[in-house]
Amino acid sequence: MSAKYDSIGINYAELRKPDPRIARIIESALGSAQTVLNVGAGTGSYEPAGRSLIAVEPSREMIRKRSPAAAEAIQASAEDLPFDDKSFDAAMAILTIHHWPDKEAGLREMRRVTRGRIVLLTFDPSHRPWLTDYLPELAALDEAQMPAMSDYERWLGAVQVTPVPVPHDCSDGFLYAYWRRPAAYLDPHIRSGSSSFWAIGNAEAGLEKLRRDLETGAWERRYAELLARDEYDAGYRLVVAD
């Protein structure tokens, strides 16, 4: 089985370290569940300790990068989960749904194999973080690949949607994590930790404008109010379906 993360996930273990504040939000949402399925699990970010967990991940490379102490990982896709109905107390999928070829089928499979709660960390494509001012291609990509918030209720039934603010020093280098550290986006190594930069290809024009604005102080003047914040609503959402 081939998967895009066999090639683009090369720096994920280094750059995508779980942020403990986001981890606490996910852990709390899982409630008292003892058996948990993590779909699109990658290298194991945000997998809770102290529970019986099985991970599903289509990329061999991502499975290979999992810690030896991490939960068992099965190479499979969300659309065809190799488990019986109602096998788990809860299921989770963290910043992965936008990569699934058939998002509705994957979420219906999660519902099939889960007795209780489904916990998703995703992104609201109607949101426009400041980086999209420089790279409108990112907004177009978000709209193309991210389910709308209304889709989750259509696919899963009643859901609760809660903003997940991003700390200013977030340790998980997902796309909009560096909202108060704009110079980070000029580093190609940092950008390699985000699948969106791989997807949009040549971002040099927008990045050059960002570079100039940082040098002249234009960025700081335009977004001065961000520098006083400890956290920022960049559009990330926790979606919970019971």
Side-chain angles (χ1 to χ4, degrees):
M1 182 188 300
S2 63
K4 69 167 67 175
Y5 274 84
D6 283 344
S7 57
I8 73 174
I10 52 175
N11 295 319
Y12 264 49
E14 174 193 354
L15 296 173
R16 300 296 298 273
K17 295 177 179 176
D19 187 273
R21 292 151 292 192
I22 296 174
R24 285 193 291 270
I25 292 171
I26 295 168
E27 179 90 20
S28 177
L30 288 169
S32 60
Q34 289 302 302
T35 57
V36 178
L37 174 66
N38 187 17
V39 180
T43 58
S45 291
Y46 302 106
E47 291 179 353
R51 310 186 197 224
S52 176
L53 186 140
I54 293 179
V56 165
E57 167 57 43
S59 165
R60 287 192 186 96
E61 177 66 15
M62 297 298 272
I63 291 174
R64 187 184 68 80
K65 290 180 180 295
R66 291 173 66 86
S67 163
E72 175 190 5
I74 295 171
Q75 190 176 20
S77 64
E79 298 87 348
D80 187 18
L81 295 173
F83 307 107
D84 293 335
D85 293 358
K86 302 188 183 307
S87 293
F88 301 91
D89 293 335
M92 58 189 280
I94 307 302
L95 297 178
T96 177
I97 293 169
H98 52 291
H99 295 303
W100 300 357
D102 189 333
K103 300 165 181 63
E104 179 178 2
L107 289 173
R108 292 195 185 283
E109 272 288 88
M110 288 183 71
R111 179 77 286 169
R112 178 184 67 80
V113 304
T114 306
R115 291 186 288 273
R117 179 166 287 186
I118 293 175
V119 175
L120 313 171
L121 181 60
T122 186
F123 179 81
D124 180 352
S126 70
H127 211 80
R128 293 289 180 271
W130 69 257
L131 186 59
T132 63
D133 295 342
Y134 292 91
L135 294 167
E137 305 96 322
L138 292 174
L141 179 66
D142 289 338
E143 289 184 350
Q145 68 178 1
M146 293 285 183
M149 292 296 100
S150 58
D151 288 332
Y152 294 103
E153 187 165 5
R154 184 158 55 88
W155 296 334
L156 292 172
V159 296
Q160 180 179 357
V161 180
T162 308
V164 178
V166 181
H168 73 93
D169 55 353
C170 185
S171 63
D172 189 346
F174 47 74
L175 178 59
Y176 299 118
Y178 300 97
W179 60 271
R180 215 179 82 176
R181 296 168 285 174
Y185 292 111
L186 304 179
D187 184 341
H189 181 65
I190 293 291
R191 296 198 303 273
S192 74
S194 169
S195 64
S196 294
F197 278 107
W198 291 81
I200 66 172
N202 188 352
E204 284 308 311
L207 292 172
E208 180 56 32
K209 184 176 188 302
L210 175 59
R211 181 180 290 107
R212 289 196 307 268
D213 283 359
L214 289 172
E215 290 173 352
T216 63
W219 185 94
E220 186 172 352
R221 291 190 295 272
R222 185 175 185 182
Y223 304 105
E225 55 95 14
L226 292 180
L227 299 175
R229 294 189 190 181
D230 290 330
E231 59 184 24
Y232 173 57
D233 181 3
Y236 294 96
R237 299 292 181 262
L238 192 75
V239 178
V240 176
D242 287 313

